Amino acid sequence: MLLYLTIGTNDLDRAQLFYDAALAPLGLKRRKQDDVEIGYGAESDSRCRLWVVSPYDRKPATIGNGSMVALEAESRAVVDAFYQAALANGGTDEGGPGLRPFHAHFYAAYVRDPDGNKLSAVCERPE
């Protein structure tokens, strides 16, 4: 259903450090980069699915209240690793790893990147 997502940043270098570390446990790596954007994707994918960008209109990037990017994790250990990597690289806590009430196996962690964008990693498999 989704082709790709973009997340705005006001500091591409800082964002690169954060996203390289936080997305690695999820199997996503930096595949493209230039002066205004960084693209991340799975090795097996034909394109980058997540872009971290300097806004096209050259105005400051801002966060969307109620917006969040949820990324699939293969295991609960991957959710934990995502969360730890995010916090160790400039992210802030928005809800540590754990089961959530959405269904019996919904295990998630929530963080904000250095620009304030909210992200989560979610595993919906039994432990």
Side-chain angles (χ1 to χ4, degrees), residues 63-81:
I63 60 172
N65 187 24
S67 298
M68 180 180 67
V69 175
L71 301 164
E72 184 178 19
E74 293 295 315
S75 69
R76 293 178 183 188
V78 169
V79 172
D80 296 346

Side-chain angles (χ1 to χ4, degrees), residues 13-107:
D13 292 332
R14 180 184 66 186
Q16 175 188 319
L17 294 173
F18 174 83
Y19 282 97
D20 283 0
L23 297 181
L26 302 170
L28 302 174
K29 67 177 200 167
R30 182 170 23 108
R31 296 181 52 189
K32 298 197 186 239
Q33 179 176 358
D34 61 29
D35 292 340
V36 296
E37 61 189 1
I38 305 168
Y40 293 88
E43 186 70 40
S44 62
D45 203 344
S46 64
R47 65 177 43 202
C48 295
R49 299 290 178 172
L50 180 65
W51 290 92
V52 181
V53 303
S54 298
Y56 182 77
D57 65 6
R58 304 211 189 280
K59 294 180 182 176
T62 58
I63 60 172
N65 187 24
S67 298
M68 180 180 67
V69 175
L71 301 164
E72 184 178 19
E74 293 295 315
S75 69
R76 293 178 183 188
V78 169
V79 172
D80 296 346
F82 159 84
Y83 179 78
Q84 292 302 323
L87 296 185
N89 288 277
T92 56
D93 172 55
E94 280 288 315
L99 289 168
R100 301 301 196 263
F102 307 118
H103 64 71
H105 303 295
F106 196 98
Y107 186 88

